[in-house]
Amino acid sequence: MSALIASTRLSFLDRSRTREGHDAPEALRDTVAMAREVERLGYHRFWVAEHHGVPGVAGSAPTVLAAAVAAATRTIRVGTGGVMLPNHQPLVVAEQFGVLESLFPGRIDMGLGRSVGFTDGVRKALGRDKDDAEDFAGQLTDLLGWFRGTSPTRVHARPPEGLTVPPFVLATGEGALIAAEAGLPLVVGDFRGRERMLRAIDRYREAFRPSEWAAEPYVTVSGTVAVAATEEEARRVLVPEAWSMAYSRTHGTFPPLLPAERVEALGAAGRMTEKERGFYESGLRDQVHGTEEQVTEALETLLKESGAQEILVTTSTYDRAALLDSLRRLARVAGRVAD
């Protein structure tokens, strides 16, 4: 067990990825089932994501899914990683989280991002465009104002007014500086872009202004972690998502996750284009994976470099049993479960 990792909060984000032979409703039920397991392993938070019109991703309504997760668990914190604020009216987001906090007091987190829909079609369907992300700081101020009763509209939001739901900002683009100026906790990733991630953390800490939401900087680093009995087995956990990302970057759409052996067979048979193979191998490179000893060393280095208070694991794969085994091994590294 690593003392440094043991002193760091350990959390998990489930993107509700669909898998070949398993439909979107099953992916959502898998997310709820995984939350129960992650709670049993002693993780601090369980978060869900927001994607609209993205093949291969079932999670389109994170606050609805968070309600199902919170109802199925007892102690773990539940939240979003994140609600994309430019897609929504701040009042509606505040109302949704106010309802969640009212139903599950003291367990709800409000993770917020500044992305808009991935394609022109999705943005049009949402009634948004790319420029809406530019007003994220203002949208964030409006949202937090609904919890404190400070809206200039003189309207009072029910039930969020007077409640405290911890807000987190996902660092995309200028997100780190926005989080610092608002005095909010920061979530930043991924592990492979280490220098970029560390620069964002440094900017955040330098610019941080204490607020009623956070007295000092709080950093969560997020990314893929895979742990198995051998380094090769851990690498195979990464294969389905690496191929899905490679396919999306060459075809513009996410396919359902394939079993690792199917992906490896594509490569062995020469059925990946040179461009696909390049993205695929890049997706496998420099990820945090290996045996418990190897992952311990990698995470200790990450924590020493970043000074982060929390790790948010974002691993997706086809084999849910292998993913659960990876999370169990990681919990053991962090001293959360007995050997």
Side-chain angles (χ1 to χ4, degrees):
M1 182 186 77
S2 162
L4 177 57
I5 301 173
S7 66
T8 303
R9 286 173 170 169
L10 187 61
S11 301
F12 183 67
L13 167 67
D14 194 322
R15 291 195 177 93
S16 303
R17 296 284 275 111
T18 59
R19 300 175 292 150
E20 185 182 54
H22 304 265
D23 60 15
E26 184 174 355
L28 295 173
R29 293 191 294 269
D30 283 345
T31 292
V32 175
M34 183 61 75
R36 296 192 192 99
E37 297 295 337
V38 168
E39 178 179 63
R40 184 175 58 81
L41 292 173
Y43 281 66
H44 185 63
R45 309 182 204 275
F46 187 94
W47 281 8
V48 296
E50 174 182 339
H51 296 278
H52 298 284
V54 179
V57 183
S60 58
T63 53
V64 176
L65 185 53
V69 168
T73 54
R74 296 184 301 107
T75 58
I76 195 168
R77 297 196 63 87
V78 177
T80 56
V83 165
M84 297 300 137
L85 195 50
N87 289 339
H88 309 281
Q89 290 295 332
L91 171 60
V92 175
V93 175
E95 289 172 337
Q96 291 171 347
F97 279 98
V99 170
L100 284 170
E101 176 64 19
S102 299
L103 293 173
F104 309 101
R107 292 181 56 206
I108 301 301
D109 300 321
M110 186 167 57
L112 305 162
R114 66 188 295 268
S115 297
V116 292
F118 290 140
T119 67
D120 290 339
V122 170
R123 288 190 291 270
K124 183 177 180 180
L126 291 169
R128 298 292 187 269
D129 58 44
K130 290 182 179 180
D131 293 340
D132 287 315
E134 300 306 314
D135 190 34
F136 179 65
Q139 295 161 351
L140 190 59
T141 297
D142 289 347
L143 171 62
L144 298 180
W146 290 115
F147 288 91
R148 293 297 176 257
T150 59
S151 171
T153 66
R154 298 185 181 179
V155 174
H156 294 275
R158 310 295 184 203
E161 188 170 313
L163 298 179
T164 297
V165 181
F168 296 75
V169 172
L170 279 63
T172 55
E174 296 302 312
L177 288 178
I178 292 171
E181 291 170 358
L184 300 178
L186 175 71
V187 181
V188 60
D190 68 65
F191 299 158
R192 291 178 301 164
R194 188 66 55 88
E195 291 304 316
R196 181 181 178 186
M197 182 185 74
L198 294 177
R199 286 197 300 270
I201 292 172
D202 287 342
R203 289 197 300 270
Y204 167 72
R205 290 198 175 108
E206 290 168 1
F208 186 85
R209 300 175 183 173
S211 72
E212 63 178 302
W213 301 96
E216 56 189 29
Y218 186 93
V219 175
T220 298
V221 289
S222 66
T224 296
V225 181
V227 196
T230 67
E231 184 176 2
E232 180 58 28
E233 288 178 35
R235 181 184 179 278
R236 295 188 85 239
V237 171
L238 307 176
V239 163
E241 181 72 3
W243 169 244
S244 182
M245 293 296 293
Y247 190 92
S248 74
R249 297 188 69 177
T250 52
H251 295 77
T253 182
F254 284 93
L257 297 175
L258 298 177
E261 57 269 21
R262 286 276 308 284
V263 177
E264 291 168 340
L266 289 174
R271 293 173 59 191
M272 291 184 189
T273 67
E274 183 176 347
K275 192 173 184 180
E276 287 171 343
R277 182 176 289 279
F279 284 130
Y280 170 64
E281 292 178 351
S282 175
L284 294 172
R285 193 176 304 124
D286 299 326
Q287 299 279 21
V288 175
H289 74 285
T291 63
E292 292 175 31
E293 292 76 15
Q294 290 171 318
V295 168
T296 295
E297 182 179 354
L299 291 181
E300 283 184 335
T301 298
L302 171 67
L303 292 172
K304 288 174 182 176
E305 291 177 349
S306 67
Q309 289 97 330
E310 187 166 345
I311 297 170
L312 179 67
V313 179
T314 62
T315 311
S316 298
T317 193
Y318 178 89
D319 187 340
R320 299 290 282 190
L323 176 58
L324 180 57
D325 180 66
S326 175
L327 294 172
R328 183 182 296 111
R329 290 174 182 274
L330 182 57
R332 186 160 58 222
V333 164
R336 302 299 196 274
V337 295
D339 290 334

